[in-house]
Amino acid sequence: MPKMKTKSSAKKRFKVTANGRVIAGQAGKRHGMIKRTTKFIRTARGTTTLSAPDEKIVKKYMPYAR
């Protein structure tokens, strides 16, 4: 069997934690921050873990991520 390929876009955007959860950057923070509430900006700092259905999709793209 040939090696499976990892999606280049996925390896740049996601990281798998030691427990197997997938970490991603917060969405909705590229532009238009003026109209966002201060609370939204504050809570959307850093990274977030993906939901289970999204996690399943991303893990398919990264077969060798542990």
Side-chain angles (χ1 to χ4, degrees):
M1 283 292 292
K3 286 184 180 178
M4 293 172 73
K5 287 201 170 182
T6 298
K7 290 264 187 203
S8 292
S9 57
K11 70 183 173 192
K12 291 169 190 170
R13 288 171 174 82
F14 306 107
K15 219 180 245 183
V16 179
T17 65
N19 289 333
R21 302 299 309 271
V22 179
I23 290 179
Q26 281 283 5
K29 291 202 66 186
R30 293 289 176 194
H31 60 86
M33 290 295 102
I34 297 288
K35 63 182 121 180
R36 309 266 189 252
T37 62
T38 313
K39 183 181 178 183
F40 172 87
I41 294 169
R42 191 171 58 245
T43 55
R45 260 184 217 145
T47 55
T48 185
T49 54
L50 295 185
S51 63
D54 290 338
E55 214 170 83
K56 207 181 253 186
I57 294 164
V58 170
K59 282 184 178 176
K60 252 181 223 163
Y61 297 151
M62 303 166 67
Y64 298 106
R66 288 189 161 65

